[in-house]
Amino acid sequence: MEIKYEYSRKRSEFGRPCSFSDLLAEVTVDIRPDPTLADDFIPQDPVDFGVQEGPMLAVHEVNTERAEVSIQGVNHVEGGWPKHVDPKNPELTTRYREEVEREEVYTKTVQRLGFVVEHFIRQNNTIDIYEEYFEEEEEEEEEEEHPSAKTINVIRDPNTPRRMATHLSWHPDGNRAVAVAYCSLDFQDSRKELNADSYVWDLEKPYAPELTLKPSSPVVTLEYNSKDWHHVLGGCYNGQIVYWDTRKGGLPMEMTPVEFSHRDPVYGAYWLPSRTGTECFSGSTDGQVLWWDIRKMSQPSERLVLDITRQDQLKNALGAISLDFAPILPTKFLVGTEQGIIISCNRDSKTPPEKIANIFRSHIGAVYRVTRNPFFPKVFVSVGDWTAQIWTEELMDSSSIMETKYHSSYLLDVCWSPVKPAVFFTARSDGVLDIWDFLFHQKEPSLSLKVRPQHLWEPRITPGPSVTPPPVPCPQVSNDPLLSLCSQDNGRILGCGTKQGNVSLLEISPGLCTIRKNEKTLTSTMFEREARREKVLQDKYRERLLREQERLRAQPEEQEDALETFKQAQADFLSSIKAEKRRK
């Protein structure tokens, strides 16, 4: 059915403007339903209708322009001299000074300025303009602050596939840059597409590396020279030692020959505080510690075999998987081995066996990291298996004086806080960073956080002084293991390297990086107390062993009877197994 409605108007009315008006609704056609047509259709029951009550929104994307930062330098030239006087010539400058000092104007000017300077000196001595009147109130406010941390930046490996961030080293000049060693430590990982470059990152421009270090083999460890900031030392995966001068680009200045280098990857390399600033030493899992001078890297200047039997045999050497050196003890260093033993060495000893000063049997597995306390050099911490342990060199052949609880995941790295003597950080294989403050809490970490590359962390605070624990623990977000830790000199920024090549920079709350009054004294007292306790337990254990040995000497027959009983039980066990096999 077609409905039509014709409109007609006069020809003279064409072209005139329309005049609209509001009229009531008018029914033009009314079509009634035909019940006979219902047989041709199937009723739909139920009928679903969707109604959207939300407002219609438009999606817009905005890409902000990234600020381009450039580094510019200014050269300062000494001025104030006449044109005929060369400032670099000491004879001309001295002669000109003597001429000026003989002038009458110079004498009057010095006398006039002398009264003014004297007035201000007396004024400064009368009033201390830098005096702080509310130190105690500020300290009370800091004590009430909960421990916290936040991610301020993330540095990612620019290559694909991603490699592990195995070591971090901060630039000695104000920590303005960080050197990151990238290497794959997976067993027999021989992928050809893996890149061997490592990078130096400027914190002001983290989107692109400031310098690309191009070694012949992937670098496992990197270390800045505190005496010459432009020199960077690296230990390679193939055992070579290499160093760069950052002023001359990313190509190595020199490297050790393969035949005189380590036979395994170099897991530790440090600069030595020598007069020239060119000496260094390295440790590897081949069981050797080698000393080098970058002015002559054709062969090592000294060698030490890590043979704890003191026979200087390389076949009996223990593999060094971690190395620690503190400039405050220039002749001593610590070596963590794959066998779970920590070796304390002294370079000043005359013979190689005497250089192995002491042995600490610490962990079940490899000692992934060992480092000295910056305030108490005789105290050091180590991580391996599932726990971190604190040791002291004053107790020989003893166990640790303090240790953390056993975790469900491996501990892979540890570092002390450079500003608080009782605070240290541990990295776990499940991606959790633990911050311990043994002065206040020894059973649980003060703060545990999951390092997330994209977002801020979610804390899990341990009950402590004036701290209320939250009801929800830290959620599991990522399972990337944390491999390396390194703290800035001020203790405020902590770098965390992961297995996926991400380096997260965390800003620690002021309560965890500000030393309090008497904190150093209290920490020293705590270490001394635990050392005395361990010594008492060690003496009692030795007395018990002596009594046991005397009892066994007095009763040799009973010992023989026990041995015979063991042999008889073993024979019965084997016979029962054979009988069970025959029966089957």
Side-chain angles (χ1 to χ4, degrees):
M1 181 179 60
E2 186 177 1
I3 301 175
K4 293 184 178 180
Y5 186 80
E6 296 182 356
Y7 295 88
S8 62
R9 60 190 308 182
K10 297 180 180 180
R11 183 176 180 84
S12 60
E13 294 180 355
F14 280 93
R16 291 185 180 181
C18 299
S19 178
F20 298 101
S21 60
D22 294 334
L23 299 176
L24 295 176
E26 180 182 354
V27 178
T28 304
V29 178
D30 186 11
I31 302 175
R32 297 291 180 179
D34 187 0
T36 59
L37 299 177
D39 298 336
D40 299 335
F41 297 91
I42 300 176
Q44 183 179 359
D45 188 21
V47 180
D48 295 333
F49 292 95
V51 180
Q52 178 64 30
E53 296 294 338
M56 299 297 293
L57 301 179
V59 179
H60 298 277
E61 295 182 357
V62 178
N63 188 14
T64 58
E65 295 182 0
R66 180 175 297 171
E68 296 291 339
V69 183
S70 62
I71 298 177
Q72 298 179 352
V74 178
N75 292 330
H76 172 71
V77 180
E78 186 176 359
W81 298 95
K83 293 183 179 180
H84 66 276
V85 177
D86 185 6
K88 298 180 180 179
N89 192 337
E91 295 181 0
L92 295 178
T93 55
T94 304
R95 188 183 307 167
Y96 181 75
R97 285 196 186 96
E98 292 176 355
E99 293 177 358
V100 172
E101 290 174 358
R102 285 195 296 267
E103 295 179 358
E104 186 178 356
V105 179
Y106 175 79
T107 305
K108 292 182 180 180
T109 304
V110 172
Q111 290 177 352
R112 180 174 54 84
L113 295 177
F115 293 107
V116 180
V117 174
E118 183 181 0
H119 169 72
F120 287 114
I121 290 175
R122 290 180 177 178
Q123 190 179 39
N124 291 339
N125 293 336
T126 304
I127 301 174
D128 184 8
I129 62 175
Y130 299 104
E131 182 180 1
E132 296 184 5
Y133 298 96
F134 307 102
E135 290 183 358
E136 298 180 357
E137 295 183 2
E138 291 180 359
E139 290 181 359
E140 292 178 358
E141 293 178 359
E142 290 179 358
E143 291 180 358
E144 297 177 357
E145 183 181 1
H146 291 181
S148 61
K150 63 179 180 180
T151 304
I152 60 174
N153 210 338
V154 178
I155 301 172
R156 294 177 175 85
D157 183 9
N159 296 292
T160 303
R162 297 287 184 88
R163 302 159 298 164
M164 306 177 187
T166 55
H167 192 81
L168 311 177
S169 180
W170 291 100
H171 196 285
D173 184 16
N175 302 311
R176 64 174 185 81
V178 59
V180 184
Y182 294 96
C183 179
S184 177
L185 298 179
D186 291 336
F187 182 66
Q188 293 184 347
D189 188 0
S190 59
R191 289 176 290 177
K192 295 182 179 180
E193 63 271 16
L194 282 176
N195 198 309
D197 297 345
S198 292
Y199 303 99
V200 176
W201 300 87
D202 189 347
L203 299 187
E204 295 182 357
K205 298 187 298 181
Y207 308 107
E210 180 185 25
L211 181 64
T212 302
L213 306 178
K214 295 182 174 296
S216 59
S217 176
V219 175
V220 182
T221 179
L222 282 175
E223 201 69 35
Y224 270 106
N225 190 345
S226 59
K227 200 167 187 178
D228 190 348
W229 302 338
H230 303 289
H231 286 175
V232 180
L233 182 68
C236 298
Y237 190 79
N238 65 350
Q240 287 182 295
I241 303 298
V242 60
Y243 88 96
W244 291 267
D245 191 336
T246 56
R247 295 168 296 187
K248 299 182 180 180
L251 295 178
M253 296 298 296
E254 195 173 352
M255 63 179 65
T256 59
V258 177
E259 58 270 18
F260 293 105
S261 303
H262 292 282
R263 303 176 184 177
D264 284 348
V266 180
Y267 285 96
Y270 286 92
W271 294 96
L272 293 173
S274 58
R275 293 181 179 178
T276 59
T278 58
E279 297 182 8
C280 57
F281 76 112
S282 59
S284 172
T285 49
D286 63 351
Q288 298 181 96
V289 176
L290 304 179
W291 281 264
W292 309 88
D293 193 326
I294 62 174
R295 297 174 297 182
K296 183 183 178 182
M297 300 188 71
S298 58
Q299 59 182 1
S301 59
E302 194 175 343
R303 184 189 306 267
L304 173 63
V305 178
L306 299 175
D307 183 7
I308 60 176
T309 61
R310 293 177 172 84
Q311 296 179 3
D312 200 22
Q313 296 292 328
L314 189 59
K315 62 180 181 179
N316 299 329
L318 304 181
I321 200 170
S322 59
L323 198 66
D324 180 72
F325 174 77
I328 196 172
L329 299 175
T331 62
K332 295 184 178 181
F333 60 94
L334 297 172
V335 180
T337 65
E338 293 178 306
Q339 291 76 12
I341 296 175
I342 301 174
I343 304 175
S344 176
C345 303
N346 191 349
R347 189 187 180 187
D348 274 353
S349 301
K350 297 180 180 179
T351 61
E354 293 178 356
K355 292 182 179 180
I356 299 178
N358 196 19
I359 298 172
F360 301 89
R361 302 186 182 276
S362 53
H363 298 276
I364 299 175
V367 182
Y368 290 109
R369 189 77 169 95
V370 56
T371 177
R372 293 184 184 272
N373 190 300
F375 295 88
F376 309 101
K378 291 186 177 181
V379 177
F380 59 92
V381 63
S382 65
V383 291
D385 49 60
W386 306 274
T387 182
Q389 300 179 5
I390 297 179
W391 308 77
T392 177
E393 289 186 333
E394 296 179 353
L395 294 180
M396 304 298 181
D397 300 328
S398 64
S399 59
S400 60
I401 59 175
M402 305 177 74
E403 64 179 18
T404 64
K405 67 176 184 179
Y406 276 80
H407 299 274
S408 59
S409 56
Y410 285 106
L411 270 65
L412 301 179
D413 202 359
V414 65
C415 71
W416 290 97
S417 171
V419 293
K420 292 176 72 69
V423 174
F424 60 93
F425 312 92
T426 58
R428 288 159 49 181
S429 60
D430 59 353
V432 175
L433 173 70
D434 291 331
I435 303 178
W436 297 82
D437 191 347
F438 265 19
L439 197 60
F440 293 99
H441 214 285
Q442 301 176 8
K443 294 183 179 180
E444 294 290 338
S446 299
L447 178 66
S448 293
L449 55 101
K450 196 82 171 176
V451 177
R452 289 192 289 179
Q454 291 85 4
H455 310 284
L456 299 181
W457 59 274
E458 298 186 19
R460 179 177 61 211
I461 304 176
T462 303
S466 68
V467 177
T468 304
V472 181
C474 174
Q476 299 294 321
V477 182
S478 174
N479 293 324
D480 294 339
L482 297 180
L483 296 182
S484 53
L485 296 176
C486 190
S487 176
Q488 288 187 355
D489 295 336
N490 56 8
R492 193 67 185 270
I493 305 298
L494 179 68
C496 307
T498 67
K499 189 176 181 180
Q500 296 298 322
N502 298 324
V503 179
S504 300
L505 303 181
L506 304 178
E507 183 178 4
I508 310 300
S509 61
L512 293 172
C513 59
T514 305
I515 190 169
R516 298 181 178 88
K517 286 185 177 180
N518 302 326
E519 185 170 353
K520 187 176 180 180
T521 304
L522 294 174
T523 306
S524 176
T525 304
M526 177 185 66
F527 287 151
E528 292 175 357
R529 181 190 69 233
E530 296 298 326
R532 287 195 303 269
R533 178 187 63 83
E534 185 61 32
K535 188 176 182 181
V536 170
L537 293 176
Q538 184 179 354
D539 293 341
K540 289 186 175 296
Y541 177 71
R542 289 176 179 174
E543 292 177 1
R544 182 179 176 183
L545 286 180
L546 290 175
R547 288 197 300 267
E548 188 69 20
Q549 291 176 1
E550 292 176 357
R551 187 182 65 82
L552 293 176
R553 291 194 197 98
Q555 300 176 353
E557 296 180 358
E558 293 183 2
Q559 185 178 2
E560 293 178 359
D561 294 343
L563 184 60
E564 292 178 0
T565 304
F566 174 75
K567 290 182 179 180
Q568 182 64 32
Q570 186 179 14
D572 295 342
F573 176 73
L574 295 176
S575 62
S576 62
I577 292 178
K578 291 179 180 178
E580 185 68 19
K581 287 183 178 180
R582 288 195 299 270
R583 187 182 64 81
K584 290 183 178 180

